[in-house]
Amino acid sequence: MAFSVLISYICSLSVWVILTLWLLLSSLSPLIEKISDHKDFKKLLRTRNNVLVLYSKSAAAAESSLRLLSSVAQEVKGRGTISWIDCGDTESRKLCKKMKVDPNSKEKGVDLLHYKDGAFHTAYNRAVTLKSMVAFLKDPEGAPLWEEDPEAKDIVHVDSEKELRRLLKKEDKPLLMMFYAPYYALFFQVLAGMNVYSAEFERIKEEFNVRGYPTICYFEKGKFLFNFENFGATAADIAEWLKNPQAPQPQAPETPWADEENVVYHLTDEDFDKFIKDHSSVLVMFHAPWCGHCKKMKPEYEKAAEFLHVTSDSPGVLAAVDATVNKALAERYHISGFPTLKYFKDGEEKYTLPHLRTKKKIIDWLQNPEAPPPPEPAWEEKQTSVIHLAGEDFRESLKKKKHTLVMFYAPWCPHCKNAIPHFTTAAEVFKEDRKIAYAAVDCAKGQNHDLCKQEGVDGYPTFNYYNYGKFVEKYTGDRGESGFTTFMRTLRERDHERVGKKKDEL
């Protein structure tokens, strides 16, 4: 009797397990790829460059994780892939053993591993939340979100304009708010923080005059009063300041350089031509009072001027022009950046010298004046296999190629500068393939602002993949030559496989 009861219990238990498994699989998001075969897994890693894999000891253990990952998969669609391997399943057990993964050893019976460009990258060890996992898959090598830092647990982290408005409306206590960008180092704790780097927050940045990062604003009863500008402050300094918040005191105006005691000749629109005519060898520094690079160079320039002043056989004299005051001179010599150094010989402009920034370099060069090395040509001016596109010809050009990887960049961006040589080399590899193209768009050019915004560019560089002009996905792989070439080779191999299948069918 007891034996038959036991058998009945086991049968009912099996039915319950099967029913649970069926419900789980039927509700599994189509964006999550369930893998059980090693060949299928290898193909997945070969064709996708950003894959997060959930290994579970059983289907039941995976249930809550899969619910969360279904939402993650929806958020990163086109940029990342979610896969599930049930190590409790007979067919999948061999795959788990081959990959040397044992979710049974984990507390919850699940393990999350990330694969990048076909190889294991890292175990996922950040917060198991929708926001953190989405942020990770959008930038697997990026720093964790600020709110993941245990020391930031008491800070209100704001994610949207709607949340910001709600916070300002309900908060009666004084509020210190940091507007920041994710790449900017945080120097101290504040009471609230909002990442406004993305283009979607342009209205917020305009309203609160966010011109750089971090910008820290002080609010009372939802009303912005003034900025907090002590960027070297500690947490204790901020706590003390909040006891009696005061607006920043206006700084005393700096003494104009021309009014200081120094041996640099300060020229104006009125006396410039006569001075240049009277001195056969003159180096002129066009500067602006607010320019940081000018302030840094100023003491070196003055030391060089002093040395030349006491030298019996001086090779020249040093002069300076405040281009913000003497606008006629700035316009005549096309001054567009500061500092700009120009050399005049026998009353005529001879060279522009961007490389002279120290006393030694200035003196050495004046003793043997030579033409400076030619400026490095812009990327689009170089002869490469990268196609440079602008707003008006963007879409039509892309329609001519089956596969195009487009790099949206800004010339001043350090990450762009690092990626450009690798992207250019990858373009050379495929230059003979008429179906493949590597293209670039300079988002700093006014004519391309709308285009970059339209294509979802919210940081530099951004890489988008297009198929005959239609956007398919963002490229989030390695930014080296191998990453760019592997991505395109994978697409080409996929094309060959399709052609092979069609031939076999015929």
Side-chain angles (χ1 to χ4, degrees):
M1 179 72 178
F3 180 74
S4 61
V5 170
L6 179 62
I7 293 296
S8 175
Y9 172 74
I10 290 170
C11 290
S12 64
L13 186 64
S14 299
V15 170
W16 180 83
V17 170
I18 292 167
L19 181 61
T20 302
L21 182 60
W22 179 81
L23 288 170
L24 178 62
L25 291 173
S26 63
S27 62
L28 185 67
S29 167
L31 295 174
I32 296 180
E33 301 194 24
K34 190 173 188 304
I35 302 286
S36 55
D37 182 73
H38 187 246
K39 285 184 180 178
D40 291 340
F41 188 57
K42 280 178 71 177
K43 185 179 179 182
L44 176 75
L45 296 185
R46 193 175 70 248
T47 56
R48 312 287 173 83
N49 57 20
N50 181 23
V51 184
L52 186 64
V53 180
L54 172 71
Y55 293 88
S56 67
K57 70 176 183 180
S58 65
E63 189 176 355
S64 62
S65 297
L66 287 172
R67 278 199 295 270
L68 172 60
L69 288 170
S70 293
S71 301
V72 174
Q74 188 64 45
E75 292 289 326
V76 300
K77 185 179 178 182
R79 298 181 68 170
T81 301
I82 308 288
S83 181
W84 172 39
I85 299 173
D86 177 8
C87 298
D89 178 54
T90 307
E91 194 178 352
S92 304
R93 200 169 294 145
K94 291 179 184 177
L95 172 57
C96 296
K97 199 170 182 179
K98 216 171 183 82
M99 300 308 296
K100 298 179 181 177
V101 179
D102 181 17
N104 288 287
S105 63
K106 302 295 178 181
E107 186 182 344
K108 294 184 178 179
V110 294
D111 203 359
L112 278 165
L113 302 182
H114 183 257
Y115 297 81
K116 186 170 176 287
D117 299 325
F120 171 72
H121 172 230
T122 185
Y124 181 82
N125 56 8
R126 285 165 55 175
V128 185
T129 62
L130 175 64
K131 186 177 177 183
S132 292
M133 298 181 92
V134 168
F136 171 79
L137 280 168
K138 286 184 175 180
D139 186 8
E141 294 184 355
L145 297 173
W146 186 20
E147 51 260 52
E148 292 178 33
D149 185 341
E151 293 185 1
K153 66 181 186 301
D154 295 326
I155 295 170
V156 178
H157 297 277
V158 181
D159 295 324
S160 66
E161 182 177 345
K162 188 177 180 180
E163 279 186 40
L164 175 62
R165 302 291 180 200
R166 190 185 300 128
L167 176 67
L168 294 177
K169 188 175 181 180
K170 76 171 187 178
E171 193 56 73
D172 287 332
K173 297 176 184 176
L175 172 69
L176 200 60
M177 181 87 187
M178 173 188 278
F179 297 101
Y180 68 97
Y183 59 78
Y184 200 93
L186 303 172
F187 296 109
F188 45 76
Q189 302 285 341
V190 293
L191 301 182
M194 183 176 185
N195 175 3
V196 292
Y197 181 65
S198 173
E200 67 185 283
F201 297 113
E202 288 302 322
R203 190 165 68 173
I204 292 292
K205 287 185 271 191
E206 190 67 35
E207 182 175 344
F208 298 112
N209 198 31
V210 179
R211 294 288 179 265
Y213 303 112
T215 293
I216 302 171
C217 298
Y218 177 71
F219 296 83
E220 280 187 6
K221 295 185 177 179
K223 184 180 178 183
F224 168 63
L225 296 185
F226 42 77
N227 290 101
F228 178 84
E229 295 181 353
N230 183 6
F231 297 115
T234 63
D237 292 333
I238 296 171
E240 188 63 31
W241 180 85
L242 281 170
K243 292 176 183 177
N244 183 27
Q246 298 291 322
Q249 296 300 310
Q251 294 182 347
E254 292 183 24
T255 304
W257 191 11
D259 294 344
E260 296 176 12
E261 286 189 23
N262 58 78
V263 293
V264 175
Y265 294 94
H266 292 274
L267 309 179
T268 66
D269 287 335
E270 289 73 33
D271 60 17
F272 183 86
D273 291 331
K274 185 178 186 308
F275 184 90
I276 295 298
K277 187 177 179 182
D278 292 345
H279 296 79
S280 63
S281 177
V282 188
L283 188 63
V284 181
M285 174 180 169
F286 291 86
H287 66 96
W290 45 260
C291 160
H293 293 296
C294 304
K295 290 176 183 177
K296 187 177 179 181
M297 182 180 167
K298 179 183 160 185
E300 293 290 315
Y301 201 68
E302 288 179 344
K303 287 174 191 173
E306 286 168 9
F307 177 86
L308 295 168
H309 188 66
V310 298
T311 303
S312 57
D313 190 20
S314 177
V317 296
L318 301 191
V321 172
D322 183 345
T324 65
V325 175
N326 302 287
K327 295 181 179 178
L329 285 172
E331 188 174 339
R332 191 205 307 183
Y333 292 108
H334 308 289
I335 306 301
S336 57
F338 305 109
T340 294
L341 265 70
K342 288 186 177 289
Y343 178 64
F344 294 82
K345 181 67 175 173
D346 297 326
E348 299 291 334
E349 179 190 356
K350 196 161 186 185
Y351 303 128
T352 298
L353 304 159
H355 62 298
L356 303 183
R357 290 291 184 269
T358 65
K359 171 189 170 182
K360 186 178 186 310
K361 285 185 177 180
I362 291 168
I363 294 168
D364 288 349
W365 187 86
L366 276 172
Q367 288 172 340
N368 183 28
E370 291 181 342
E376 180 73 14
W379 187 18
E380 60 191 81
E381 293 170 356
K382 297 177 182 178
Q383 289 294 321
T384 72
S385 296
V386 176
I387 303 167
H388 291 271
L389 303 175
E392 63 273 7
D393 60 2
F394 180 76
R395 197 68 57 188
E396 288 306 312
S397 297
L398 294 187
K399 285 179 181 178
K400 297 173 185 175
K401 301 289 182 179
K402 184 170 186 179
H403 304 298
T404 307
L405 188 61
V406 180
M407 176 176 170
F408 296 88
Y409 72 102
W412 46 262
C413 157
H415 296 302
C416 302
K417 290 176 183 177
N418 291 337
I420 283 172
H422 302 294
F423 195 77
T424 303
T425 305
E428 285 296 314
V429 173
F430 292 93
K431 65 181 180 181
E432 303 297 334
D433 193 321
R434 290 186 295 176
K435 293 182 178 180
I436 289 173
Y438 288 77
V441 175
D442 181 355
C443 294
K445 287 187 175 179
Q447 70 196 82
N448 292 331
H449 284 175
D450 290 343
L451 169 64
C452 294
K453 193 172 181 180
Q454 169 192 308
E455 298 305 311
V457 177
D458 55 11
Y460 305 121
T462 290
F463 299 91
N464 285 357
Y465 163 59
Y466 298 84
N467 181 266
Y468 287 124
K470 184 180 179 182
F471 171 76
V472 178
E473 63 178 324
K474 284 189 181 292
Y475 170 82
T476 56
D478 181 67
R479 293 176 181 178
E481 178 196 341
S482 63
F484 295 133
T485 53
T486 300
F487 177 76
M488 209 57 90
R489 282 197 181 100
T490 301
L491 293 171
R492 193 161 65 176
E493 285 172 15
R494 211 180 291 168
D495 289 344
H496 291 161
E497 284 177 11
R498 289 195 191 106
V499 171
K501 283 180 182 178
K502 284 182 179 178
K503 285 182 178 177
D504 291 342
E505 289 170 4
L506 292 171

